[in-house]
Each structure stands twice: as C-alpha cells, then as structure tokens.
C-alpha cells in the first residue's frame, strides 16, 4: 500500500465499544465459519452452537429457510444484499433484523460472506451514533478485511480497495505494517490485539488521502470485531472501515460555528469584532485571515447600499482584523488599522462591487488578486506561500460593510466549496455582530450629539461667579442621562445656578431633560424668583404628563424630576435659592468649612402637589465662597446611606485654596469604584463681589424735573468710569425709563448703574405692572419710549423688585473698558 498516505487524527484516538452490532462469517455453502460475542448477545446462540452449522438454523420457519436459499443466489449475482429479515432467538421469540451481506474474497478466488445484523426493535438503535451503524442503515460502501490471529490478511471485499487503493492480491498473507506507514500500522494493530484479547468490539478513527481524491483529506472510522470458533477461541479480527469524511466535516463545521457564537461579537467595538473573526478563522479554517471594513464603518457611518463605481476607484478600506499562523506575516500587506486602497481590477474590488464571494482553489504563481500597484507587497504575498484563497464580502441589510479574506500556505489541501460555505457562514455571523455594533455606534453618536446639544457647551458666570462642572451618566454605553445643569446670566450682573434630575436614564430621560432645561431658561428670562420659577416649572411638568396621557398609541410614562434653582447677586452678595425634592447645596467658605443651609425640600416636580408652595431662602455669602450643587447620584449608592455620601462629598470639598477644577476631580475620585447606579452631576460656583466703585445708585423724587437730574447724574458717572462714548445713548435710555416710572407710579424712584462685563442701567419704582413694548404707527403720540430703548440697548427687560419692579437695559462696553 505504498501509494496511500495515512496520518493519525490530530485528536486522541477514539475507542469505544459497540455491543449491539452482530457479525458472523459464512462460507459459500451457508455454514457459519466465525461468530462474535455481539452475535451471541443478540440472538442467544453461543459459538459452539452456531459455528459449523447452517445459518438457516436461526430462521423461524421452513418457509424462511426456503426464501433464504433463493436470496443466496441473489447474493452471489449481486455481490451482496441488504434489507430486513426475521431471526429466531434461542429462547424462541422472533427478532426483526436489519441485515447486510457482503462478499469477501480470499486467496485462489475463494469466497465467503460477512453478515452484519442489528435488532431494529432495540432501543439502542436510535441512541447509537456509530459511523458503522450509520453506514449500514444508509447502505454506504464499507471496506471489510479479515485478519487471522497473527494479524495477517485472509479475506477482503472490493470496497476496501476504493478506500486505500491497495489491490486485494497484495493484501493476502500480509500484516498491516507491510503496507501502511509504521505509525498508523502500529496504532491499528494495537487495537486489533486488544480486540483479540478481550473479545469486545472497538473503533479506531484516522485520516488519510485516498488515491481517488488525493487533494482532499478524508476521515475514516474502522470498527474491529473478534471472530470466534466453535470452542470460543479467537480465529481472527474482522475490520469494517467507513469513510466518514462528510460526518466529520459536518461535526467540525458545527463546532466552529458554535465557537463563533461565543467568540465573535463579544463587544460592540467594530474593530475588535473584525479581529475576533480573523482570530477564529486561524487555524480552524485557514492559515491566514484578514478582515477589512469600509473606511467609514469604524466611525459609525453606514455605507451606501451600492458601491459607487462611476469613478472607477474602489472605496477605501481599513484593516480591522488580521491573524496568521506565521506571526511575521501579520504586518503585510498592510498593518492593522491601516487604510487600504484596493486596485480597481483586483478580486477585492470586484467582490466589493458585486457583493459575491470568490474561491481561488489554486493561485497561479504569476498572478494574484492583490494590489498590483504595490509590487513590493505583492511579492511578499507570493513569497509567503499562499496557494489557495477565499474572498467573502461582509454584508448586512443589503450593504457591503467590508471583506474577509482567507488563505492557506502550510495546509496543503486547497480550499473547497464546503470551505467557502463555512467561511460565508462565519462571515454572516460576524456581519450580524458588526451590524449591531454599527447601529450602536450610530445611535451612540446621535445620543452624544443630543446630549451635547442639550447641555450647555460652555458655562460662564460672568462677573458673579467662577464655575466648574462634571457630568457622568449612568448609561455609559450611550453617554446620556436625565441630569442637567445650567448657568444663566441674568440682568444686573446676577446669575442663576441650576441642577436638575429627570427620573430614569438613557435617551428618553435626556429628551425630557432637554425640554425641562429649555423651560427653566424661558422662565429665568422672566426674572421670576426661585420659588415662583419652580411653581411654574411644576405646572410645565404636569402639562407634559397630561399630553403624554392623551397619546393613545403608546403607554404614557409619567415624567418626574427634581430641581434646585439659585440666584446670586454679586452687588449685594446675597443668594436666593429654592428646591423641588432635590438634595440641598453645600457651601464652602474660604477656610474650607462646609455647611448645608436649612432649605425646605419642596415636592418633586410633576407629582400633582402644586398646592404645596415652594419656599425660598436668602443667604449672604462672603466673597470667595464655593456653592456646590449636585444630583443625588453623587451621594447615593447601593451600598451606603445618603449620610455617608454627604460626608464623603463634604470631605472632598473641604480644601481651602483649591481650584474649582481640582475640587471637581477630588469629588469624582472619591466616588465608589463600581459603575454609578444613577447619573452624577456636579456644579461648583465660587462667588465674586462687585467693588463699590463699580456700582452707582441714586434715589430720585417722583417729579418730572427729576428726569433732567437723572440724565446729569448718569453722564457724570460714565465720565468718571471713562465711558464718555456711552453718554448719549445712556442719557436717552435713562430719560425714557425715568419718565415712564414717574408717569405710572406715585412712590419714590431709584436709578442704578452697574459696570461689569456690560453696562447695566436700572430704574426701580413701586408699580408692579411690567412695561410692554409697542410698535407705534406713524401718527401715534405714545409708545415710542420703549421702542427707542430697545434700539439703543443690546437687550432690555424688567423683573420683580422688593417693592415693585425694576426695568433695565444693557449697553456693550468699549473694548478698552472690557479689557480694563
């Protein structure tokens, strides 16, 4: 058998008993010449009772015996037979057997028959998955050889030659070591000796390259039976060999696909998924594997359903995965994450354009589907010894996401069609993971864009406060949550500080947060006190709930939120604050002493408790105080009480002289190491105070003669501040605002000028009615004052005062004044 290659299986030899396969050898006259222990177990007859007797002894009736004689003639004509027969058990009952009769040849053209029977009624029929059993029932060709007690071949059938290519005349009288490689012959003979010694049936599995298919490795399963004589002594060993290549490859394919389900798509990272596909394919399927994605895909951009070919240039690719049995080849022809431009006529470009897989079983040495524009790297590919190639497009939802390329160099067997089917199945599974990752990347980008647009891009406290913030969403995958913070510059150099928390996480909570943040900014523009603002915000949340409840196409979700709103005035250094179910702020003085003001909690927003008023508290803050506003995610956790969290936050803030950024970092570092269960928001504001020289105010009598005096006072003050360029517009603004105050109230009037980042002109009176700008027609005698104020100001408005209202207008300062 010198023309056949045999190699042992890579895995350990599989040996198992098959007690329900009964084998008997019968001579040309129908007399039993050899019996097995399995046959005795099946029909109850011992070798002494059967060897030397006619096989018809086991038939249940004379009619069956007559039919058996007729069958025998058919056996000789056809060289074998398979079907079902009735066999009489030794105790008298009848068994229905699956039977196969095979013709054996001996020296000098002698013939014998090998009979294989299995009880169809046995419960083990369905449970046994042995390859010989499958072959018997499927009538697949079985190679049969009988060796004597010295392991020399004495009988063989025609099918055995098809398995290994050795003619039967070259087998007789020879042991396996005379025709097989020494390693495999020794392994088989070890099994045969065990069968002779124990009398049990055993199986040995191995791989070989039969002459009929030299380019493809086949898997064989050989089952060995001990043939016994009349006295029960071993006569020899019968081997039945079945080509189980299809079964083994199917099992290997299932094993690879099963492994793919756990190894591909372990994360939502597109590049990592590509690497996982490459690493799974090597060495289970290929010696080398690369995975390339369209350049836009790793950035979360979904490609077009059709590849544009009008320009004649294929799309750029990015190397996402690379694996090889030779580590030195991992950096060619491109390193991982490098951008790749396929040559327009290459197989890669064609696969991208058509979305079709390509199999190149044998690559010609003078050609190849690599990048012809890069001769050096192309030569590297050729020198690597890759002789067989598969190119499989990665497709998802009718879009081509990239390519997977598989090559063989060390494995001499070329890729076959079933290898391509397996590669396509692996790529399909990877494509599902890549598509999920792409969707995630796209949704995460949208969510982050939404979050960036909902939260303030920059927080500035003007002349009132210096601010620093931190925000950590509980939904780290999408980076969005329901917490928000804001710093809103108000009139008169004041500033509003806001922290809120919408119940829930994720993009829905973020969308609701955006609506509430907009509402707070709108209400802040009305210059409402903190308690009134929260009452209006509570009404807004309840209206949102009512609107959602009216939507019949979905289950309404109640919106709930908490909020803390504070207004700080750098002129008076007073801070007014109110809260709606939100944690109270912390105040840190210049010495690092931390206090929590006694601020009524208030009810959370949207709970229908609007009849309970919100209470404001006003505090005077020394210059340089730090006001800390935060969400409950900063002080609450699954493993500790809220008091512990408050103490931890206070300890982190008690750092006199530290910058706000350093304080924010210290607070975040003090958090428990596990992922937050709730969104975490922190807003720190260090208070400033305007110098007395930046503010000028005058109490004026309620008399029209006062208008001229007010203009003179304002002009003199602007000259002292070096703002002569603003005298004319400010005089007109003061004239209009003071005149309106005199006309609409009876009490005293107050004029105030504030120089900070802008120049603010304020007129206070005792009338609670707010002015409303009109658009006078040509012949109207009134309504032009506020119209003129609006034209002369960068912005203007009114707000409630302690005993009435304040009307204000702002002017931009000259550049040199701002710099000063």
């Amino acid at each position: 058998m010198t023309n056949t290659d045999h190699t042992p299986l890579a895995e350990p030899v599989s040996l198992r008993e098959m007690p329900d396969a009964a084998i008997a050898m019968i001579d040309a006259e129908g007399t039993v010449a050899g019996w097995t222990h399995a046959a005795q177990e099946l029909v109850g007859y011992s070798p002494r009772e059967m060897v030397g007797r006619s096989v018809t002894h086991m038939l249940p009736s004379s009619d069956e015996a007559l039919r058996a004689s007729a069958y025998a003639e058919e056996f000789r004509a056809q060289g074998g037979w398979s079907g079902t027969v009735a066999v009489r058990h030794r105790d008298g009952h009848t068994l229905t057997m699956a039977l196969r009769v095979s013709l054996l040849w001996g020296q000098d053209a002698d013939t014998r028959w090998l009979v294989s029977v299995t009880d169809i009624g046995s419960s083990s029929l369905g449970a046994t998955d042995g390859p010989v059993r499958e072959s018997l029932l499927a009538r697949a060709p079985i190679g049969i050889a009988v060796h004597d007690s010295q392991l020399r071949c004495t009988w063989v059938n025609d099918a055995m030659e098809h398995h290994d290519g050795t003619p039967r005349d070259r087998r007789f009288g020879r042991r396996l070591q005379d025709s097989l490689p020494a390693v495999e012959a020794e392994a088989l003979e070890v099994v045969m000796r065990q069968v002779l010694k124990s009398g049990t049936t055993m199986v040995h599995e191995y791989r070989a390259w039969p002459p009929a298919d030299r380019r493809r490795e086949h898997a064989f399963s050989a089952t060995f039976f001990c043939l016994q004589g009349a006295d029960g002594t071993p006569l020899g060993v019968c081997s039945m060999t079945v080509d189980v290549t299809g079964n083994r490859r199917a099992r290997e394919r299932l094993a690879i696909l099963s492994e793919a389900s756990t190894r591909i798509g372990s994360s939502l990272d597109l590049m990592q998924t590509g690497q996982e596909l490459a690493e799974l394919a090597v060495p289970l399927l290929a010696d080398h594997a690369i995975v390339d994605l369209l350049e836009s895909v790793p950035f979360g951009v979904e490609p077009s359903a059709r590849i544009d070919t009008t320009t004649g240039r294929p799309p750029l690719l990015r190397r996402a995965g690379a694996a090889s049995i030779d580590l030195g080849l991992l950096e060619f022809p491109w390193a991982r994450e490098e951008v790749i431009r396929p040559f327009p006529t290459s197989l890669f470009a064609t696969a991208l354009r058509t979305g079709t897989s390509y199999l190149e079983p044998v690559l010609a040495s003078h050609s190849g589907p690599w990048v012809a524009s890069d001769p050096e790297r192309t030569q590297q590919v050729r020198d690597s010894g890759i002789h067989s190639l598969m190119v499989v497009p990665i497709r998802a939802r009718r879009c081509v996401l990239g390519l997977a390329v598989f090559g063989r160099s060390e494995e001499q067997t070329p890729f076959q069609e079933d290898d391509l089917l397996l590669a396509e199945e692996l790529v399909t599974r990877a494509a599902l993971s890549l598509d999920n990752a792409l969707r995630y990347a796209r949704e995460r980008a949208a969510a982050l864009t939404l979050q960036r647009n909902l939260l303030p891009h920059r927080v500035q406290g003007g002349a009132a406060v210096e601010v620093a913030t931190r925000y950590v969403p509980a939904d780290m995958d999408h980076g969005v949550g329901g917490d928000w913070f804001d710093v809103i510059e108000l009139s008169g150099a004041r500033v509003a500080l806001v922290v809120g928390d919408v119940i829930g996480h994720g993009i829905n909570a973020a969308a609701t947060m955006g609506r509430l943040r907009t509402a707070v900014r709108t209400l802040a523009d009305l210059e409402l006190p903190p308690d009134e603002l929260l009452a209006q915000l509570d009404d807004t949340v309840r209206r949102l709930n009512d609107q959602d409840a009216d939507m019949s196409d979905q289950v309404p979700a109640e919106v709930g939120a908490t909020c803390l709103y504070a207004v700080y005035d750098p002129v008076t250094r007073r801070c007014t604050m109110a809260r709606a179910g939100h944690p109270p702020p912390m105040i840190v003085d210049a010495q690092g002493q931390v206090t929590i003001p006694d601020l009524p909690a208030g009810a959370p927003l949207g709970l229908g408790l609007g009849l309970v008023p919100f209470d404001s508290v006003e505090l005077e803050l020394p210059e340089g105080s730090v006001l800390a506003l935060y969400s409950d995610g900063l002080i609450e956790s699954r493993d500790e009480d809220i008091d512990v969290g408050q103490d931890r936050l206070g300890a982190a803030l008690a750092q006199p002289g530290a910058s706000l950024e350093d304080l924010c970092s210290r607070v975040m570092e003090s958090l428990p190491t596990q992922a937050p269960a709730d969104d975490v928001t922190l807003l720190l504001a260090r208070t400033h105070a305007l110098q007395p020289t930046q503010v000028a105010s005058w109490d004026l009598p309620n008399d029209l003669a006062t208008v001229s005096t007010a203009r003179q006072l304002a002009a003199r003050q602007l000259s002292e501040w070096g703002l002569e360029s603003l005298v004319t517009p400010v005089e007109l603004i003061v004239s209009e605002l003071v005149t309106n105050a005199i006309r609409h109230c009876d009490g005293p009037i107050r004029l105030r000028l504030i120089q900070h980042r802008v120049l603010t002109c304020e007129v206070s009176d005792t009338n609670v009615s707010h002015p409303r700008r009109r658009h006078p027609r040509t012949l109207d005698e009134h309504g032009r004052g506020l119209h003129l104020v609006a034209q002369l100001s960068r912005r203007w408005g009114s707000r409630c005062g302690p005993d009435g209202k304040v009307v204000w207008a702002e002017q931009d300062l000259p550049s040199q004044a701002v710099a000063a």
Side-chain angles (χ1 to χ4, degrees), residues 450-755:
L450 172 65
Q451 188 77 34
R452 284 194 297 267
N453 290 332
L454 293 178
L455 292 176
H457 295 177
R458 292 186 306 165
V459 285
Q460 294 181 339
V465 293
E466 172 195 355
V467 294
T469 62
R470 291 291 188 274
Y471 171 74
V472 179
D475 186 0
M476 292 298 293
D477 288 339
H478 293 89
V480 294
D483 282 12
W484 88 91
F485 60 88
D486 215 340
V487 180
I488 307 169
E489 294 188 57
L490 303 176
S491 63
R494 298 170 307 129
V495 67
L497 305 172
V498 190
V499 168
D501 183 1
V502 174
I503 296 174
H505 315 294
I507 197 166
N508 290 332
T512 301
M513 172 270 288
R515 300 163 79 180
L516 296 187
R517 177 172 178 261
T518 301
V520 170
R521 277 193 161 263
T522 302
L523 294 172
D525 287 341
L526 298 177
E527 304 273 5
L528 297 176
D531 54 341
E532 293 185 25
L533 182 141
L534 291 181
Q536 294 289 338
L537 187 62
D538 182 56
D539 290 339
T540 300
V541 174
R542 285 189 285 123
R543 283 196 300 272
L544 291 177
N545 286 334
D546 293 340
Q547 291 174 5
D548 292 340
D550 292 338
M551 299 177 64
S552 58
D553 59 338
Q554 64 181 24
V555 178
E558 290 293 323
V559 175
T562 64
C563 184
L564 172 62
Y565 186 83
V567 176
Y568 173 70
D569 187 343
V571 176
T572 63
R573 293 185 288 106
R574 301 194 70 82
C575 181
T576 305
M577 60 186 71
R579 60 182 178 132
H582 203 81
M586 291 187 179
I587 300 174
V588 187
D589 61 21
Q591 290 72 42
Q593 185 69 31
V594 179
T595 60
I596 299 177
D598 186 11
L599 180 62
L605 303 171
L607 299 185
L609 302 178
L611 297 177
V612 180
F614 297 98
D615 295 324
S616 294
V617 170
E618 187 176 71
L619 304 171
E620 183 174 341
L621 300 179
E623 184 176 6
S625 299
V626 174
L627 190 62
L629 283 67
Y630 51 91
S631 62
D632 56 4
L634 190 63
I635 58 174
E636 292 182 354
S637 70
R638 302 183 183 94
D639 303 325
E640 61 185 21
D641 295 333
I642 189 171
D643 293 339
V644 177
Q646 284 185 324
D647 293 342
R648 183 184 64 247
L649 174 59
L653 293 173
Q655 303 295 323
S659 68
L660 294 185
E661 288 295 334
D662 288 343
L663 285 179
C664 283
S665 298
R666 287 182 59 87
V667 169
M668 303 310 292
E669 291 170 359
S670 69
L671 290 174
T673 55
Q674 67 266 25
D678 198 0
D679 304 328
V680 173
T681 302
L682 175 65
L683 170 62
L684 298 183
R686 176 170 280 129
T687 63
H688 299 308
L690 294 184
Q691 299 301 315
T693 56
Q694 294 179 268
V695 182
S697 61
W698 304 272
D699 292 323
L700 305 174
N702 193 329
D703 189 335
L704 286 176
T706 303
V707 175
S708 175
T709 303
R711 293 176 61 169
Q712 294 173 5
L713 293 172
R716 185 183 306 118
Q717 185 63 53
L718 292 178
S719 297
E720 292 180 6
W721 285 341
L723 301 176
E724 288 84 357
S725 62
L726 297 180
V727 168
T728 299
V730 170
E731 282 185 332
L732 292 173
I733 292 172
V734 167
S735 178
E736 294 297 333
L737 295 183
V738 172
T739 300
N740 283 342
I742 293 172
R743 285 178 177 175
H744 296 94
C745 76
D746 298 328
I749 298 170
R750 186 175 182 80
L751 171 64
R752 186 169 72 164
L753 296 179
I754 307 173
Q755 181 195 14

Side-chain angles (χ1 to χ4, degrees), residues 735-776:
S735 178
E736 294 297 333
L737 295 183
V738 172
T739 300
N740 283 342
I742 293 172
R743 285 178 177 175
H744 296 94
C745 76
D746 298 328
I749 298 170
R750 186 175 182 80
L751 171 64
R752 186 169 72 164
L753 296 179
I754 307 173
Q755 181 195 14
H756 49 109
R757 296 204 310 172
V758 296
L759 176 69
T760 302
C761 175
E762 298 180 346
V763 175
S764 307
D765 61 48
T766 58
N767 191 340
V768 295
S769 298
H770 292 266
R772 182 170 58 90
R773 180 183 175 185
R774 299 177 182 178
H775 298 278

Side-chain angles (χ1 to χ4, degrees), residues 19-32:
D20 55 352
I23 301 296
M25 180 180 289
I26 303 172
D27 64 17
E29 304 302 325
T31 302
V32 176

Side-chain angles (χ1 to χ4, degrees), residues 150-385:
Q150 302 301 315
L151 304 185
R152 295 171 299 197
C153 182
T154 55
W155 303 92
V156 68
N157 72 341
D158 293 332
M160 198 64 195
E161 182 176 348
H162 295 293
H163 286 329
D164 56 25
T166 303
R168 63 172 180 259
D169 291 340
R170 295 181 54 189
R171 297 179 185 272
F172 298 133
R174 298 183 180 182
R175 293 175 53 179
L176 292 177
Q177 62 185 5
D178 297 326
S179 55
L180 288 179
V183 174
E184 184 58 31
E186 179 62 26
L188 290 173
E189 290 190 352
V190 166
V191 178
M192 294 168 71
R193 291 190 186 96
Q194 291 178 356
V195 170
L196 284 173
K197 181 178 180 180
S198 64
T200 57
T201 301
M202 291 185 169
V203 177
H204 177 68
E205 298 177 354
Y206 63 95
R207 291 172 180 166
W209 284 262
D213 190 6
R214 300 283 293 175
R215 295 170 55 185
R216 182 180 182 186
E217 180 187 69
H218 284 238
F220 292 93
S221 179
T223 306
F224 297 90
F225 305 87
C226 179
L227 293 175
Q228 297 175 331
D231 57 357
T233 59
L235 297 177
V237 178
C238 172
S239 67
M240 303 177 67
T241 305
V242 182
D243 188 338
V244 294
T245 303
N247 293 339
R248 175 162 294 281
R249 292 185 66 83
R251 289 195 296 270
E252 291 174 348
R253 285 167 58 91
L254 289 174
I256 294 175
L257 294 177
S258 176
E259 193 166 352
S261 64
T262 59
R263 289 179 55 182
I264 298 179
S266 62
S267 73
L268 290 174
D269 184 277
L270 287 150
M271 300 294 282
Q272 182 176 338
T273 300
Q275 182 63 24
E276 289 169 349
L277 171 59
E279 290 178 351
L280 175 66
V282 177
L284 295 179
L285 175 63
D287 295 331
H288 318 281
I290 57 176
V291 178
D292 297 332
L293 299 177
L294 294 183
E295 189 184 24
S296 63
V297 170
F299 300 100
V301 179
E302 185 171 348
S304 172
R306 296 187 61 185
I307 300 297
D308 184 15
T309 59
T310 57
T311 62
R313 296 191 300 270
L316 296 179
L317 301 171
R318 185 176 294 272
R319 178 63 40 83
S324 174
I325 59 173
D326 183 356
L327 298 180
L329 297 181
L330 287 180
E331 295 301 319
F332 91 91
W334 294 277
R336 189 165 180 256
E337 299 190 6
E338 186 177 345
V339 175
I340 304 159
R341 187 185 301 274
F343 194 65
T345 59
S346 69
L347 192 58
F348 301 149
T350 304
L352 284 173
R353 184 178 63 254
T354 63
T356 304
S357 301
Y358 290 92
L359 170 64
E360 293 287 335
V362 180
L363 289 178
S365 60
H366 61 277
S367 65
W370 303 96
V371 182
S373 60
D374 192 341
E376 181 179 353
R377 284 178 170 172
T378 302
Q379 189 60 43
Q380 283 183 296
V381 174
R382 293 170 180 164
D383 293 343
S384 69

